[in-house]
Amino acid sequence: MAFDLVVKNGMIVDGSGLPRYRGDVGVSDGRIVEIGRINGATARETIDAEGHVVAPGFVDGHTHMDAQIFWDPIGTSSCFQGVTSVVMGNCGFTLAPCRESEADLVFRNLERAEDISRAAMLAGIKWRWETFPQFLDVLESLPKGINYAGYIGHCALRTYVMGQRAFTDEATEDDLAKMVHHTKEAIAAGAHGFSTTRSVNHQTSDDKPVASRLASWGEFETLVKAMGAGMVEVAGEPRGADSAKARAYYDGLSKLAIESGRPITFGLFNRRTSPGAWRSTFDIIERTARQGGRMFAQVHSRALNVLLSFETQLPFDKWEVWREMRAKPLAEQKKMLLDPETRRRLVEIASKPYEGPTVRGTEARPPEWDWVYAMTDMKGPHKSMAELARQKNTHPVELMIDMALERDMKFFMVQPIANENQTEALELMKHPRSVVTFSDSGAHVSQIMDSSLQTHLLSHWVREKQAFTLEEAVKMITCDTATQFGFHDRGLLREGMAADMVVFDPDTVGPRMPEVVCDLPAGAKRLRQKADGMNATVVNGQVLLRDNEPTGNLPGKLLRKKRH
């Protein structure tokens, strides 16, 4: 038999959780057609996987690549970490439905809440749609390296129907009827589902709530019940220690999941201000399942870390004196830091209590130096800036400046804002009603770098901590994610399944240090991260990356949700 591709001599970890075995994988027409020992067959291309694991391509259920897909078809940095399929349009943030003349309303929702440069969107997106079905047709036509699925987002839907009123008013009956129509239309065209946000973290650049936060619970409920198919993703875990409020919120989601028949998913983290509070949410998820509904939590493989650096963001960017310095090119900032008097003034100001507006989401927040860590390598454990400063008998701000100058301003610190307790993070990952995903890839592009959560799972939790077997961990980021998000022909190495595969070295796989690049349209900056140990990434039977370098192939597809 002639194959398009044969992956030979690998250790197959097939995504099911079953033990690994040595074998070959034969591919034709984008599908796996044979698994076993393939001898004497011809193939247009061969990958020698000797000494490597062959696994299904990783699936990421929580990204924001809706804008990025227009200028970065291969989906960096996710593709560098072995991800071959993503769901975008999370948290209510999409580019459709929207008239080109009103694109600014969509940008208003995205620009601050998801840290996506307005200038990059204006320069990089060629508007060729109005409705969500038209948007899907445009996505279908774009060159793609990986596979993409997308929700219709509540923010875009609301602004499309209500215009400026979406940011100030409750919907009228006529508004709601139009939103119901466009939701049904999007689902019928192949939208993955419907997403929304009710999170206080999601604000516009002028400190107003994004559009979907103005929606009543009744509006949200009506749209979900109108869907008829697809899944629901919601951002809006209640903050603070008000357990009664949180319980009422999740009880509401539970009732909606049962009554609508729609699967509902959301992010769930531990927080040091309310340890163990997430356990009551799992109790509600379990009860929902017993009563005929379906909910599952998206959890993370590490702390949700805000990255701080002179190259990107610092807690003091809007403080006096700092504000003027941070507006200058990096080389000029370095000169100012070398001036003793300027430096003294900067340290003095940064040492004062913060008195500014509330910081939202993954924006740099006023530092608690015992909870800000020097990121000198990927492995860790990292020491806090407070501890390092005590060792050197200096102030953390002085130390931050010294460490940046020593590294030509290329110095990262991590500021955990959730999942600080790694013991609880492990419990969250092990819960049967959770799925390990939540990279936010495509958003927060200069604030966080969580595209590597899958390779972190393999390097940290499998190789270093031995908290999971390799088979367990691969299942978590392939079969489990693919099944929960409804990609039933992906996430397993089985004959007849889509040929999405990752070939990696289990002894070296792991994320590299992030770097700052200015490769977005209009020269906007972002964080980018590659990984070690990645031999090949295969999408729909074609090699997308070899040794984590693009081959030029663009075999990705739009994964429309099929309706029956």
Side-chain angles (χ1 to χ4, degrees):
M1 181 178 180
F3 297 95
D4 295 329
L5 173 70
V6 172
V7 181
K8 290 190 67 68
N9 306 319
M11 192 60 67
I12 295 174
V13 179
D14 67 8
S16 69
L18 292 171
R20 69 196 78 180
Y21 59 93
R22 190 173 171 86
D24 310 326
V25 182
V27 175
S28 291
D29 297 323
R31 296 270 161 183
I32 298 170
V33 293
E34 187 171 340
I35 301 176
R37 299 303 295 172
I38 299 174
N39 296 311
T42 60
R44 285 214 301 262
E45 189 169 5
T46 300
I47 295 173
D48 184 0
E50 183 70 47
H52 288 72
V53 165
V54 182
F58 306 152
V59 179
D60 190 341
H62 194 113
T63 78
H64 293 273
M65 292 191 185
D66 308 63
Q68 181 177 327
I69 190 175
F70 286 89
W71 57 74
D72 178 14
I74 66 173
T76 62
S77 295
S78 293
C79 67
F80 296 141
Q81 313 298 326
V83 171
T84 56
S85 299
V86 301
V87 184
M88 57 188 185
N90 283 272
C91 308
F93 299 120
T94 55
L95 297 174
C98 181
R99 304 165 190 87
E100 184 175 8
S101 61
E102 296 176 336
D104 220 52
L105 294 177
V106 160
F107 295 164
R108 191 177 175 199
N109 286 311
L110 288 169
E111 185 179 16
R112 180 182 177 191
E114 295 301 324
D115 182 38
I116 301 175
S117 163
R118 183 176 180 277
M121 288 188 282
L122 283 170
I125 298 173
K126 183 181 178 183
W127 217 272
R128 292 185 282 142
W129 67 88
E130 179 176 322
T131 67
F132 198 84
Q134 290 168 347
F135 179 64
L136 289 180
D137 290 342
V138 170
L139 294 182
E140 190 108 56
S141 72
L142 293 176
K144 293 174 288 297
I146 61 173
N147 305 307
Y148 296 87
Y151 298 106
I152 178 172
H154 196 177
C155 285
L157 175 65
R158 212 168 195 270
T159 52
Y160 180 66
V161 169
M162 297 175 64
Q164 292 285 357
R165 291 188 299 114
F167 297 95
T168 55
D169 296 0
E170 278 202 27
T172 65
E173 286 189 18
D174 184 54
D175 293 332
L176 191 52
K178 289 176 181 176
M179 282 190 266
V180 164
H181 166 75
H182 291 297
T183 299
K184 288 181 174 180
E185 180 184 61
I187 297 296
H192 197 71
F194 172 83
S195 72
T196 191
T197 178
R198 306 179 69 82
S199 171
V200 296
N201 286 329
H202 290 149
Q203 292 198 335
T204 62
S205 294
D206 56 352
D207 297 320
K208 300 291 195 300
V210 296
S212 71
R213 286 184 54 203
L214 274 295
S216 66
W217 185 268
E219 177 183 322
F220 170 50
E221 196 173 51
T222 298
L223 294 173
V224 170
K225 289 182 177 179
M227 291 168 62
M231 60 189 299
V232 178
E233 186 273 337
V234 56
E237 178 186 357
R239 297 179 65 82
D242 187 347
S243 58
K245 181 181 177 183
R247 193 173 300 110
Y249 169 77
Y250 288 115
D251 279 339
L253 288 181
S254 172
K255 184 172 181 284
L256 184 55
I258 294 164
E259 292 178 353
S260 69
R262 299 296 93 232
I264 296 179
T265 183
F266 44 81
L268 192 60
F269 299 88
N270 74 69
R271 299 183 189 277
R272 61 187 170 95
T273 53
S274 51
W278 50 270
R279 292 190 178 92
S280 62
T281 305
F282 275 125
D283 292 340
I284 294 172
I285 292 174
E286 293 282 10
R287 188 193 70 210
T288 304
R290 292 193 298 271
Q291 294 177 352
R294 182 174 160 225
M295 298 202 301
F296 65 93
Q298 300 176 32
V299 302
H300 214 295
S301 65
R302 61 177 172 222
L304 179 54
N305 290 320
V306 172
L307 289 187
L308 307 175
S309 76
F310 279 91
E311 293 182 280
T312 52
Q313 61 168 351
L314 289 171
F316 321 110
D317 288 348
K318 297 178 182 178
W319 297 24
E320 58 177 320
V321 183
W322 283 88
R323 182 170 53 242
E324 290 74 28
M325 182 188 75
R326 297 288 287 142
K328 297 179 184 298
L330 207 59
E332 291 187 38
Q333 293 184 48
K334 184 177 180 180
K335 287 181 183 177
M336 292 180 71
L337 293 174
L338 290 168
D339 177 71
E341 179 55 29
T342 303
R343 174 173 171 149
R344 184 198 64 76
R345 182 77 176 121
L346 289 167
V347 172
E348 179 187 18
I349 291 166
S351 304
K352 294 178 179 178
Y354 179 66
E355 296 176 350
T358 303
V359 176
R360 300 293 183 190
T362 54
E363 297 168 352
R365 53 207 58 209
E368 299 174 68
W369 291 112
D370 283 309
W371 289 92
V372 175
Y373 300 87
M375 187 182 180
T376 50
D377 57 44
M378 282 304 302
K379 188 174 180 180
H382 303 115
K383 291 185 177 180
S384 75
M385 293 297 287
E387 180 183 355
L388 291 171
R390 285 191 292 269
Q391 290 174 2
K392 293 180 178 290
N393 195 29
T394 188
H395 191 282
V397 181
E398 292 271 17
L399 178 64
M400 176 188 77
I401 293 171
D402 285 340
M403 294 183 78
L405 290 172
E406 288 166 6
R407 293 162 176 79
D408 195 29
M409 308 298 277
K410 296 182 182 297
F411 168 57
F412 285 112
M413 299 175 291
V414 291
Q415 185 178 40
I417 59 172
N419 259 28
E420 301 98 332
N421 185 321
Q422 288 295 280
T423 301
E424 289 194 13
L426 183 59
E427 283 188 67
L428 281 156
M429 285 190 286
K430 286 189 170 184
H431 198 284
R433 301 285 181 188
S434 75
V435 61
V436 178
T437 191
F438 211 95
S439 72
D440 263 347
S441 289
H444 310 294
V445 294
S446 65
Q447 298 172 340
I448 65 172
M449 178 36 70
D450 284 341
S451 299
S452 57
L453 70 89
Q454 291 87 4
T455 50
H456 177 77
L457 174 69
L458 297 173
S459 60
H460 178 75
W461 290 112
V462 174
R463 191 170 63 239
E464 294 169 23
K465 295 296 184 182
Q466 299 182 19
F468 300 102
T469 65
L470 182 61
E471 287 83 353
E472 288 171 335
V474 166
K475 178 175 181 285
M476 290 161 69
I477 52 179
T478 59
C479 183
D480 288 356
T481 41
T483 301
Q484 289 281 32
F485 286 94
F487 302 126
H488 299 303
D489 63 343
R490 297 172 200 273
L492 282 170
L493 298 184
R494 292 282 189 277
E495 292 174 6
M497 301 283 274
D500 293 348
M501 292 179 281
V502 186
V503 182
F504 64 89
D505 181 349
D507 295 329
T508 61
V509 66
R512 292 181 183 172
M513 283 286 285
E515 59 180 341
V516 178
V517 295
C518 296
D519 64 351
L520 297 186
K525 71 176 62 170
R526 65 165 176 153
L527 292 157
R528 184 176 66 186
Q529 189 175 35
K530 286 199 167 185
D532 289 318
M534 307 299 287
N535 176 267
T537 301
V538 177
V539 179
N540 296 313
Q542 295 183 44
V543 182
L544 174 68
L545 302 169
R546 271 192 183 269
D547 296 320
N548 244 347
E549 293 298 326
T551 61
N553 294 329
L554 293 171
K557 295 181 179 180
L558 175 66
L559 303 180
R560 293 188 193 240
K561 198 78 170 172
K562 293 178 181 177
R563 314 301 173 194
H564 299 288

